[in-house]
Amino acid sequence: MISIKSNREIELMKIAGRINFETHQLLAKNIRPGITTQELNDIADAYIRSQGGIPSFLNYEGYPASICTSVNEEIVHGIPSKRKLKNGDIISIDIGVIYKGYHSDSAWTHPVGTISEKKQKLLDITKEALYRGIHEVKAGARLGDIGYAIESFALKNHLGVVRVLVGHGVGTNLHEDPDVPNYGQKNTGLVLKKGMTIAIEPMLNLGTEKVYMLDDDWTIVTGDNKPSAHFEHTVLVTDDGYEILTGDE
Ligand code: MF3
Ligand code: CO
């Protein structure tokens, strides 16, 4: 079932989104060679709670941390640990916040120190792919329009598009209907309606689109161990477009 949010629900999702965005900004300031992913986790956990939010990933289907930290070839669901970030790494940070029962979900990928040109291109293209997808959003547009915008831009830039993981509806649950794939055809799929809230989240790889899971049963890694990037926003569908709930655009 796809829920249409009331104005009251949208107001709560905006607060959850604002806390999420501020947590990302705070982590961005702390990312540097030498910091551990656990330290980033703890900074995020404390900030989210200080704002009256709850980190939604903690205990989600048994997930053992408050955020996901995925380094280099790790695509998503990397578990924070004593691992120290190194100069030249990239790190994807994925954050979920619940505020008064409403969820926000957002991911950014950051450089650590100085990174290669290839990695920088991967970050730039993945971020732009997210915004190209978002720019398709409005009442009456279709899910295939979003997927096509993301996939065609990624393929033009010779990146692998992860298909086994997709975006999703967001609201009183972290994951709701509908699925929001990062691939598709124009003019196909579900028609968007005003008041739907969806997470759009391209995951693009410098190499193969294939993935595998590490023995920790969470971390999803690229099939060829080449780097991957992930950008995600929670977005509200409006009559003439969209509102990004986890950003400042
Ligand atoms: N933001 C992630 C997604 O939408 C969800 C992470 S769930 C966790 O795919 F359990 F891994 F934290
Ligand atoms: Co998500």
Side-chain angles (χ1 to χ4, degrees):
M1 203 203 63
I2 300 171
S3 61
I4 301 293
K5 274 74 178 181
S6 67
N7 288 340
R8 176 191 150 269
E9 291 179 296
I10 290 166
E11 286 314 308
L12 294 174
M13 289 190 68
K14 282 185 180 171
I15 298 172
R18 193 257 305 154
I19 298 169
N20 198 314
F21 177 68
E22 289 171 358
T23 309
H24 273 293
Q25 284 184 308
L26 179 60
L27 292 186
K29 281 193 249 162
N30 281 277
I31 288 171
R32 58 173 179 274
I35 195 162
T36 68
T37 51
Q38 183 67 46
E39 288 171 303
L40 294 173
N41 179 88
D42 297 348
I43 292 166
D45 184 283
Y47 184 74
I48 292 166
R49 293 180 195 281
S50 79
Q51 297 299 303
I54 300 168
S56 62
F57 297 173
L58 185 61
N59 300 322
Y60 180 84
E61 292 182 9
Y63 184 74
S66 301
I67 62 171
C68 300
T69 53
S70 307
V71 180
N72 296 332
E73 75 282 2
E74 297 172 356
I75 303 168
V76 288
H77 305 167
I79 302 173
S81 71
K82 289 180 180 156
R83 176 178 187 161
K84 285 191 165 120
L85 296 180
K86 292 205 291 276
N87 186 55
D89 285 344
I90 56 172
I91 177 167
S92 300
I93 296 197
D94 196 348
I95 301 177
V97 174
I98 311 172
Y99 184 79
K100 296 194 175 163
Y102 286 83
H103 290 251
S104 63
D105 190 6
S106 178
W108 302 5
T109 305
H110 303 268
V112 181
T114 311
I115 61 172
S116 70
E117 245 173 67
K118 272 191 176 174
K119 280 181 167 172
Q120 188 60 53
K121 183 191 146 204
L122 173 68
L123 301 197
D124 294 344
I125 302 291
T126 308
K127 188 173 186 183
E128 184 169 345
L130 168 60
Y131 281 91
R132 285 186 178 223
I134 291 173
H135 291 153
E136 295 295 322
V137 173
K138 62 175 183 201
R142 303 181 71 164
L143 282 179
D145 301 332
I146 300 173
Y148 176 80
I150 292 170
E151 181 186 32
S152 58
F153 183 64
L155 295 180
K156 200 174 82 188
N157 286 285
H158 312 289
L159 298 178
V161 180
V162 175
R163 285 155 200 278
V164 296
L165 298 153
V166 294
H168 48 90
V170 199
T172 51
N173 292 295
L174 173 59
H175 294 133
E176 299 185 350
D177 289 339
D179 279 355
V180 180
N182 298 304
Y183 51 86
Q185 276 152 13
K186 282 186 200 173
N187 255 305
T188 65
L190 179 88
V191 177
L192 298 175
K193 292 203 182 95
K194 177 182 169 182
M196 288 181 181
T197 42
I198 54 175
I200 305 177
E201 51 177 318
M203 289 148 269
L204 303 184
N205 300 345
L206 264 184
T208 179
E209 64 182 59
K210 295 212 178 86
V211 313
Y212 68 97
M213 196 188 277
L214 295 186
D215 287 341
D216 64 14
D217 278 346
W218 278 105
T219 314
I220 303 197
V221 176
T222 56
D224 53 11
N225 289 313
K226 290 189 180 170
S228 181
H230 181 207
F231 284 87
E232 174 179 29
H233 274 312
T234 299
V235 177
L236 168 69
V237 181
T238 65
D239 270 331
D240 54 357
Y242 58 85
E243 221 173 301
I244 298 176
L245 303 185
T246 46
D248 60 355
E249 198 190 67

